[in-house]
Amino acid sequence: MSLALLAPLGLAALAALALPLWIHLVRRLELVRVEFAALRWISPRARPERRIRIQRPWLLLVRLLLLALLALLLAQPVWQRGGTRASAWIVLAPGVNPVGARAAVASDGEWHWLSPGFPALGTGAPPSAGASASLLRELDATLAKDTPLTVIVPERVEGLDGERPRLVRPVEWRVVPGRMPARPPGPALPRTLALRLAPDQAPSATYVEAAVAVWNLAAPGRYTLDAAPAGQAVPPTADWLVWLAPPAPALDRWLEQGGTALVVGAGPAAGASLWPDAHGRPLASASRQGAGRLVTLAGALAPHDLPALLDADFPQRLHAALAGPPPAPTAAGATALRPTLDPGMAGEALPPRHSVHSLDAWLVALIAATFLLERLIALGWRRSPR
Amino acid sequence: MLAPLTPALRAQLRDLRLASRRGGAAGLGQHASRVRGAGLEFAEYRAYEPGDDPRRIDWKLYARSDRHFVREAERDSALGVWLVIDTSASMGQRDAGPAAPSRLEAARQLAACVIELALRQGDRFGLLAVGGAAPLFLPAHAGRRQRDQVLLALERLNAAATLPDPARLLPMLERMLPPALVLLLSDFFDKSMVELALRLAATRREVLSIQLLTAGERDFPYAGGHRFVDPESGSELRVEAAAARRDYLERFAAARARLAQRFTAAGIRHAEYVLDRPLIEPLRVLFGGDRGSGP
């Protein structure tokens, strides 16, 4: 917890403090002018005193304060919390029983949940699981370098990504019995398959329709087929596009916008093989095309050209080819997940932005109050007889 | 218009009279005459009032106009009273305060008092305002008309000039024929006014002087840093007033004493008048009864 300035150069405005000082001093040194004909009998030796004497110190003080506050406002002060945490942090992954964890870890420190915002322990119900690995990295980046960190995880950790966490600090990694609540699978989104046909490809449409019908057996109504001639525009709600026509600008546009399209191949398929046949030759391959993904079938959608078309698993194969690779596993055994120490990550430390609070509003209110006070003093003094 | 004299002041003037110590030949008036055997020089007509000597009625005029007029002759035996007023810029100085008069305003009031005295005694009176390139000179006459003229001229004076070369004043001084009573109203801070007084005193004129001082000059009631500006030369002095006060009071008192001594030695009747005092005080000193009517 500390005060920081976002624009320390704004403090240069403190030079304006000289202004009220100067005004008060000049007013003091002003000599009273008196018309005096008997001038020659006044001894010129008694020089006027140049002693600094401020007549209204309170007014001056309030004016100085007002200017100092304005300068501070220019410097944009912020109240930051968490940037310099000194005491040890003990982080519990969701799913860990807090009571058991407290018994397991004897050392003292701040207890928090490993969940977005890092809520302190004991404030409300245990949160649900989040992206644990990402949260761990964020915590590591925002904590002060010298803050010891203890992480208590259950045996199985959810919410991971492709990389094992590499942290700046050595982490005390405690595994306790328990299980993280699995993230509930998202609801099955409805999918629309757009089929665009050249007139001579009409028989091929049957296989696509059949495949979609098979998909809908497992999830009734989830898949919609939008079959139309190649000239018709592809609706933006479509998820996948099966393009059974010569290449056209509409297809390129679809791919550039990040869509997934399936075309039938001409020549050897480029890209990663998705679907090898019995001899290991790729029947389908996927490649990046613009921002989109292009799946190429080795042959036209006809049994003589692509015998696999008649296989029972063709619909599943087609679905897999269109849907792309399955998501990476997000759970792992806690023991294997122990973070590695990588001091090189320190350079990527994030500013502790989530805990910075601007003080501008308070400062403006304070300035307004000071200004009122200054006016009160200045006017009150003028009215009262000296 | 010049504020008329207050009744109180007018009442106080009753005890005073203008008198020359030098004297002269006896005449019709209260003073010795400068022209022998006169008293017949025509001055003005006025309506007959009961009590007037019938012999003074102008019968020829009665024959023409069917009214009785009395010939007023100028009393050529009367004393010539001259008011010499300094109108240099220092005379505009006044004390701080809402109704504090300037030196020049006080001089006007004093001059009006003296005119009142002269009028009552039937003396001739004239005015010389010294200041600026062209001094104002009104020759001496008697009578109410002359009074009004002089008061009007006094009203028009303003203190915003420097004193002229004394040589320029010579022709006007020569017209103040002795025996004459010359009253100088000035602060006498400038050497030329002092010289003027001494010159007049040395040439058989009866010279009186009133030194007009402000209360600030007498008491020096200032404290703190002050910038004192001479209204005439414009030169200024920055001093800490409280520290300079004692020294100033000593030196100023010495200067005033020296001036009084010089004037007394030259036979000049001298009085000081500080602006916050009653106007009658210097007049009592100069024209009070104990001074008498001269030898």
Side-chain angles (χ1 to χ4, degrees):
Chain A
M1 299 206 181
S2 65
L3 197 66
L5 300 177
L6 294 186
L9 272 184
L11 288 184
L14 284 176
L17 288 181
L19 207 67
L21 275 175
W22 182 73
I23 289 173
H24 278 245
L25 289 182
V26 162
R27 284 173 64 94
R28 176 67 202 120
L29 290 178
E30 236 171 40
L31 299 177
V32 185
R33 185 184 185 279
V34 176
E35 216 171 66
F36 205 77
L39 195 65
R40 81 188 70 150
W41 290 287
I42 300 177
S43 160
R45 281 175 313 206
R47 305 299 304 165
E49 293 178 29
R50 292 256 161 191
R51 193 176 51 191
I52 292 172
R53 193 164 46 184
I54 289 163
Q55 284 177 328
R56 298 162 71 177
W58 282 109
L59 183 64
L60 177 63
L61 214 61
V62 171
R63 284 179 176 165
L64 288 177
L65 180 67
L66 185 63
L67 278 177
L69 286 176
L70 280 172
L72 195 60
L73 182 66
L74 284 180
Q76 297 187 20
V78 289
W79 182 252
Q80 61 184 11
R81 242 183 339 213
T84 55
R85 285 165 182 154
S87 62
W89 264 52
I90 300 159
V91 181
L92 262 67
V96 174
N97 183 6
V99 182
R102 278 193 196 273
V105 179
S107 64
D108 203 18
E110 291 186 46
W111 292 71
H112 291 264
W113 286 110
L114 186 67
S115 71
F118 306 106
L121 212 62
T123 58
S128 57
S132 306
S134 173
L135 284 167
L136 207 55
R137 289 189 201 101
E138 181 190 342
L139 183 63
D140 183 52
T142 54
L143 276 183
K145 298 272 187 299
D146 51 350
T147 307
L149 181 61
T150 305
V151 183
I152 304 171
V153 288
E155 282 158 348
R156 183 183 154 90
V157 183
E158 304 270 352
L160 304 178
D161 48 27
E163 196 186 16
R164 189 173 165 185
R166 290 183 294 153
L167 303 183
V168 181
R169 75 198 70 231
V171 172
E172 195 183 340
W173 190 256
R174 293 285 188 89
V175 182
V176 295
R179 189 184 168 82
M180 254 175 126
R183 297 169 81 182
L189 294 172
R191 298 283 178 188
T192 303
L193 178 67
L195 177 63
R196 291 294 177 265
L197 291 161
D200 57 332
Q201 294 281 341
S204 303
T206 318
Y207 301 102
V208 179
E209 282 167 13
V212 170
V214 170
W215 297 345
N216 274 331
L217 284 180
R222 186 180 173 204
Y223 298 93
T224 315
L225 183 67
D226 169 28
Q232 197 166 328
V234 182
T237 53
D239 297 293
W240 301 316
L241 174 66
V242 177
W243 189 265
L244 300 179
L251 176 65
D252 295 337
R253 219 166 32 244
W254 172 259
L255 287 168
E256 272 169 26
Q257 288 165 5
T260 301
L262 182 136
V263 296
V264 291
S273 170
L274 292 176
W275 184 1
D277 66 359
H279 305 291
R281 287 173 305 183
L283 285 179
S285 61
S287 62
R288 309 299 305 180
Q289 190 100 8
R293 187 162 160 277
L294 183 66
V295 179
T296 314
L297 281 181
L301 281 180
H304 58 83
D305 213 5
L306 193 70
L309 196 60
L310 300 178
D311 290 351
D313 62 351
F314 171 74
Q316 279 71 37
R317 295 268 189 186
L318 183 65
H319 187 274
L322 286 172
T330 59
T335 320
L337 196 66
R338 180 183 298 276
T340 55
L341 183 66
D342 183 2
M345 298 288 289
E348 300 166 24
L350 290 172
R353 286 161 71 186
H354 64 282
S355 59
V356 165
H357 301 279
S358 173
L359 293 178
D360 286 2
W362 293 102
L363 213 50
V364 166
L366 196 57
I367 285 169
T370 314
F371 180 70
L372 276 178
L373 187 65
E374 189 266 345
R375 284 292 88 197
L376 271 178
I377 293 180
L379 294 175
W381 221 294
R382 206 169 293 158
R383 277 190 203 126
S384 69
R386 298 197 179 194
Chain B
M1 191 62 197
L2 193 67
L5 301 180
T6 60
L9 187 57
R10 213 176 269 279
Q12 287 168 327
L13 287 178
R14 198 181 303 144
D15 302 336
L16 307 182
R17 57 186 297 270
L18 304 178
S20 170
R21 286 188 300 190
R22 292 181 189 271
L28 293 172
Q30 297 182 15
H31 309 284
S33 169
R34 67 182 165 92
V35 180
R36 204 169 283 276
L40 298 172
E41 191 176 336
F42 173 75
E44 60 182 354
Y45 282 115
R46 70 168 168 83
Y48 173 79
E49 290 170 5
D52 278 339
D53 189 350
R55 283 179 297 183
R56 291 180 61 199
I57 294 174
D58 191 321
W59 294 108
K60 286 179 182 170
L61 188 59
Y62 171 64
R64 284 202 299 274
S65 65
D66 204 18
R67 284 174 196 194
H68 294 105
F69 284 99
V70 172
R71 272 176 79 98
E72 282 274 301
E74 186 175 313
R75 275 198 259 189
D76 46 8
S77 64
L79 181 69
V81 175
W82 295 90
L83 299 161
V84 179
I85 295 183
D86 177 4
T87 63
S88 62
S90 64
M91 290 294 282
Q93 187 184 328
R94 67 183 72 223
D95 282 315
S102 70
R103 268 200 257 266
L104 186 63
E105 283 158 12
R108 277 186 194 132
Q109 292 290 325
L110 288 170
C113 289
V114 173
I115 287 168
E116 203 59 37
L117 290 175
L119 191 72
R120 204 178 64 200
Q121 294 178 191
D123 292 331
R124 295 173 301 120
F125 48 90
L127 175 69
L128 173 61
V130 183
L136 174 77
F137 183 75
L138 290 182
H141 289 289
R144 289 190 164 77
R145 250 188 81 190
Q146 171 71 359
R147 176 193 65 180
D148 293 343
Q149 273 183 356
V150 173
L151 291 184
L152 194 63
L154 282 173
E155 172 68 17
R156 287 178 181 162
L157 295 180
N158 50 359
T162 53
L163 288 174
D165 182 11
R168 291 182 58 105
L169 297 173
L170 277 179
M172 298 157 193
L173 298 187
E174 279 166 6
R175 291 182 67 177
M176 302 178 185
L177 290 175
L181 194 147
V182 184
L183 174 65
L184 287 97
L185 296 163
S186 171
D187 50 22
F188 293 108
F189 292 163
D190 198 291
K191 207 179 287 175
S192 60
M193 276 311 281
V194 179
E195 277 171 11
L196 184 66
L198 293 175
R199 178 194 288 266
L200 284 167
T203 50
R204 289 178 51 228
R205 276 96 172 179
E206 171 84 24
V207 181
L208 303 95
S209 64
I210 299 180
Q211 187 177 20
L212 299 153
L213 300 174
T214 65
E217 283 161 354
R218 179 192 58 193
D219 302 333
F220 208 68
Y222 310 108
H226 275 69
R227 200 153 57 88
F228 293 105
V229 182
D230 185 3
E232 274 173 51
S233 65
S235 61
E236 65 171 58
L237 201 60
R238 292 156 180 269
V239 291
E240 186 70 25
R245 181 167 188 268
R246 227 180 91 187
D247 184 50
Y248 162 79
L249 287 179
E250 275 175 18
R251 291 167 61 157
F252 191 51
R256 278 154 60 193
R258 205 159 50 239
L259 180 75
Q261 194 187 1
R262 272 181 89 187
F263 277 0
T264 311
I268 298 172
R269 277 190 272 166
H270 182 67
E272 275 180 7
Y273 171 61
V274 184
L275 297 185
D276 59 352
R277 304 294 303 165
L279 275 170
I280 195 69
E281 282 187 357
L283 299 174
R284 275 219 180 98
V285 170
L286 296 180
F287 309 119
D290 57 336
R291 289 265 172 182
S293 57

